[in-house]
Amino acid sequence: MQRIDLFDQRFFQISPAEADIMDPHQRVALEDGYVALHAAGLDKSTLMGSVSGVFAGIWASDYSTVLAGRGPNAFTVSAFSCNMLAGRLSYALGMQGPCIAVDTACSSCLAAFHAALSGLERDE
């Protein structure tokens, strides 16, 4: 179980107010995405300014219903939108390549992987 108090929002350049209402799926994806890149031998300084891309397979979350009673604020759209996920990771790591969130329901990850592989094959 992920604990919100352990999420390093400063590393990902997210304000405490936004991190407080952010969908847990976004926090986990940011952390796990960074860990995966680090495990592959890449670090933030290597990726900063590179033409690297983020292709994320996503699916809608119902987290907004959990916080429905809190009412909207300045961070509501970015905190609840799954489509923000690829952009958040790309921005946090300073990548300048394509940033794509793919939502095809059950095949989202497969479709995102296919898009990334196709881009590599075309040297994009």
Side-chain angles (χ1 to χ4, degrees), residues 56-120:
I58 60 163
W59 196 354
S61 170
D62 62 352
Y63 188 67
S64 60
T65 59
V66 172
L67 297 178
R70 294 176 71 170
N73 68 31
F75 304 112
T76 302
V77 172
S78 63
F80 298 155
S81 175
C82 292
N83 294 320
M84 295 291 293
L85 186 88
R88 283 188 187 278
L89 186 56
S90 183
Y91 178 78
L93 298 175
M95 295 189 273
Q96 303 295 314
C99 172
I100 300 170
V102 179
D103 181 358
T104 60
C106 297
S107 64
S108 296
C109 290
L110 179 60
F113 181 75
H114 177 74
L117 184 58
S118 296
L120 287 172

Side-chain angles (χ1 to χ4, degrees), residues 12-44:
F12 294 105
Q13 302 171 16
I14 298 170
S15 73
E18 186 173 7
D20 181 50
I21 67 164
M22 182 186 289
D23 186 327
H25 293 105
Q26 288 190 30
R27 290 193 296 270
V28 170
L30 286 170
E31 291 171 337
D32 289 350
Y34 179 77
V35 168
L37 290 170
H38 188 69
L42 301 169
D43 63 18
K44 189 173 181 175

